[in-house]
Amino acid sequence: MKRFEDKERGGDRGGDRGGDRGGDRGGDRGGAAGGEKRSFQKRRGCRFCAEPGLAIDYKDKYVYTSAVTERFKIVPRRISGNCAGHQRELTIAIKRARHIGIIPYTTAQF
């Protein structure tokens, strides 16, 4: 019972030692004023699943131009809306295109 009593009194044996560890504890939780709920956009579907004729190929620049930013970083699937399988294929195609020099790894910054 000694351990239980120590925890209850805030003894230094394990457990929460007090203090705020960060995060939003009981705050407003959003940028909307007046406690309004956040509105989320409808999630886009995978364009490769929607158009079966659209194949992922490292030689086809048209396919992966929308999958990279202007600094040629790969766009994550939560933003692009691709399914997991097609995002993996797209990532491999972009990396292959980078390797053989079709697209650059990054923009030239001096």
Side-chain angles (χ1 to χ4, degrees):
M1 287 305 276
K2 179 115 173 115
R3 280 190 190 161
F4 182 72
E5 290 170 5
D6 282 344
K7 282 186 182 179
E8 224 175 31
R9 279 187 266 153
D12 61 333
R13 292 187 187 215
D16 186 24
R17 297 179 199 256
D20 189 18
R21 302 258 189 241
D24 188 18
R25 304 247 169 108
D28 186 18
R29 287 192 187 251
E36 297 172 15
K37 289 189 176 182
R38 287 190 220 168
S39 63
F40 293 101
Q41 290 181 344
K42 184 182 174 194
R43 194 176 165 114
R44 281 188 284 167
C46 178
R47 70 178 201 180
F48 299 104
C49 291
E51 299 177 35
L54 191 60
I56 299 172
D57 188 19
Y58 70 94
K59 295 173 275 188
D60 189 11
K61 272 187 165 181
Y62 170 74
V63 171
Y64 51 79
T65 51
S66 64
V68 292
T69 63
E70 65 263 357
R71 291 183 179 257
F72 296 100
K73 294 169 108 180
I74 300 172
V75 177
R77 66 177 276 251
R78 72 174 183 275
I79 296 170
S80 67
N82 294 327
C83 65
H86 285 119
Q87 180 71 21
R88 279 192 289 269
E89 287 180 36
L90 193 62
T91 301
I92 291 169
I94 291 169
K95 288 177 181 180
R96 283 181 182 160
R98 283 176 177 167
H99 185 71
I100 63 172
I102 295 174
I103 59 170
Y105 281 93
T106 184
T107 55
Q109 297 284 325
F110 294 104

